[in-house]
Amino acid sequence: YDILTAIPTAFRRDGSLDIEGSRAIFRFVGESGNEGAFVLGTTGEFPAVDVEEFTALVGAAIDELADRMRVIVHVGQPSTYEAVRLVEIAKGLGATEFAALTPYYLKSTEDSIFEYYRAVSEAIGDGRLYVYIYPARSGNSVSPALLVRLAELPNVVGAKISELPLEDIAAYRAAVPAD
């Protein structure tokens, strides 16, 4: 199993992005001996960055880390359109591995969550996708049956699961294919 570090994003006191501070964090993680970096997840404060800042951070992460470790870029957004747009930007910068939080803030049906991931998966193409399950933050859960459906998408390779009890994780593990 790989150890992936969830990387924080650096901000200045006034709340503006500190790209050089973020580069320093990326370099520190790059020297950690871990196998990968998870960029712009919850720890990376993804809701606090706009598209221009997202582009700068992903570019810096790939520049600082891609030759040393895997870089998984989080692209989850409330809307499919925005998530696909971030996929396209990150792909253009060289990203090949992605994670996407379920759509958040507004309640979604399982079918709409599946369609969101189908569209993100199609945008990713030959890349790898992790389903990011964090119902405490997104407001949307993923049932084991839905995760089985999502696992059938051609580039879904795993799940990032946050703040769920071990029983829920065991239910996912029991339901999805071994690979």
Side-chain angles (χ1 to χ4, degrees):
Y1 294 96
D2 288 347
I3 297 174
L4 308 176
T5 301
I7 300 183
T9 297
F11 294 94
R12 294 184 189 91
R13 286 188 182 272
D14 68 359
S16 62
L17 178 66
D18 181 353
I19 194 69
E20 290 311 314
S22 292
R23 280 184 173 277
I25 295 168
F26 295 151
R27 286 190 296 272
F28 180 80
V29 170
E31 296 167 3
S32 70
N34 291 343
E35 291 80 15
F38 186 68
V39 179
L40 285 163
T42 305
T43 303
E45 300 191 51
F46 71 92
V49 302
D50 61 24
V51 173
E52 182 180 314
E53 294 165 328
F54 172 89
T55 303
L57 283 163
V58 172
I62 290 172
D63 183 49
E64 297 288 346
L65 299 171
D67 63 336
R68 297 191 242 189
M69 62 177 44
R70 297 169 52 204
V71 176
I72 296 90
V73 177
H74 174 252
V75 295
Q77 292 292 305
S79 77
T80 302
Y81 174 83
E82 290 298 328
V84 167
R85 181 163 77 141
L86 294 184
V87 167
E88 295 301 333
I89 290 167
K91 278 176 53 177
L93 295 167
T96 60
E97 292 191 75
F98 304 85
L101 180 67
T102 55
Y104 55 90
Y105 186 71
L106 300 172
K107 214 54 178 149
S108 298
T109 65
E110 285 201 349
D111 285 341
S112 64
I113 291 171
F114 180 82
E115 288 305 315
Y116 166 86
Y117 280 107
R118 185 190 54 70
V120 170
S121 173
E122 285 177 4
I124 288 169
D126 293 337
R128 296 163 48 101
L129 174 60
Y130 293 86
V131 175
Y132 189 179
I133 302 169
Y134 198 172
R137 294 289 175 259
S138 71
N140 288 305
S141 43
V142 173
S143 69
L146 177 56
L147 189 56
V148 168
R149 286 178 65 201
L150 294 170
E152 293 172 357
L153 293 170
N155 54 9
V156 170
V157 296
K160 180 188 185 313
I161 303 168
S162 297
E163 286 190 36
L164 288 179
L166 290 176
E167 296 81 24
D168 290 355
I169 295 169
Y172 287 137
R173 179 73 265 164
V176 297
D179 64 346

